[in-house]
Amino acid sequence: MIPRRAFGAALTALIGLVVLAGPASAHTELESSSPAEGATLTAAPTEVRLTFGEPVTLPPDAVKVTGRDGTAWTVGTPAVAGAVVTAPVTPAGPAQAYTLTWKVIADDGDNLTGTVHFSLAAAASSPAPTSAAPAPTSSAQAQAPSAPTAVDTSGIPGWIWVVVGVVGLLAVIVVGLRQLKGRGKD
């Protein structure tokens, strides 16, 4: 009889964990990028653009671009406007595969990371210095959906873990009190 009660309490606590943690694990996602995932560009971009499903903020070193051979592009200060992150870049390196690595903080405080893979068909040449704003990317590239990216799902808010811990502790206390009460009747 006692193991059945303990099993019932543990099952109830587990169901509570699943129900409470399910909605909390929803994250914003990268909806599109420029360059787009898997794109092969004939010319190196002067700006990268990431569009998310909800507003985000930026941690330090939010955007990096590196080539397969380890060549790193110079990334200027990224800017965020709601759900859109833009960063000026100074490309460098040969024609090869490149990885754009991004980090953002969602509205719910979760840290999210991901990558966008693209290739250059020609070597990146440093653009001549100008005082004009970077040339806009084509609208087709900016609107192209990117492939799914890796998202850090370990960022469940701490208050969820506190609630789960309290519910589990209460379940253990209730089971213990019932067992003590049952022994007193014997």
Side-chain angles (χ1 to χ4, degrees):
M1 186 67 109
I2 293 173
R4 186 180 295 170
R5 287 182 183 169
F7 177 74
L11 183 61
T12 302
L14 182 60
I15 290 171
L17 171 67
V18 171
V19 169
L20 290 174
S25 64
H27 297 291
T28 187
E29 293 183 11
L30 181 66
E31 292 186 349
S32 66
S33 66
S34 176
E37 174 69 30
T40 299
L41 308 176
T42 56
T46 57
E47 173 185 84
V48 294
R49 179 181 307 266
L50 305 165
T51 303
F52 295 89
E54 344 178 310
V56 295
T57 55
L58 300 176
D61 297 325
V63 177
K64 293 180 183 179
V65 179
T66 54
R68 183 180 333 157
D69 66 355
T71 303
W73 290 10
T74 302
V75 178
T77 304
V80 62
V84 179
V85 175
T86 56
V89 294
T90 304
Q96 66 177 328
Y98 287 88
T99 301
L100 183 156
T101 304
W102 54 264
K103 296 187 287 188
V104 296
I105 302 170
D107 265 354
D108 63 1
D110 289 341
N111 292 313
L112 308 174
T113 61
T115 56
V116 175
H117 302 90
F118 65 97
S119 298
L120 287 183
S125 59
S126 298
T130 63
S131 60
T137 57
S138 74
S139 61
Q141 280 184 338
Q143 299 303 320
S146 65
T149 58
V151 177
D152 179 8
T153 58
S154 64
I156 295 175
W159 66 269
I160 292 291
W161 293 114
V162 171
V163 169
V164 169
V166 168
V167 168
L169 182 61
L170 288 174
V172 169
I173 290 171
V174 167
V175 168
L177 289 174
R178 286 186 177 178
Q179 288 180 355
L180 288 174
K181 187 177 178 181
R183 288 184 183 165
K185 290 181 182 180
D186 290 338

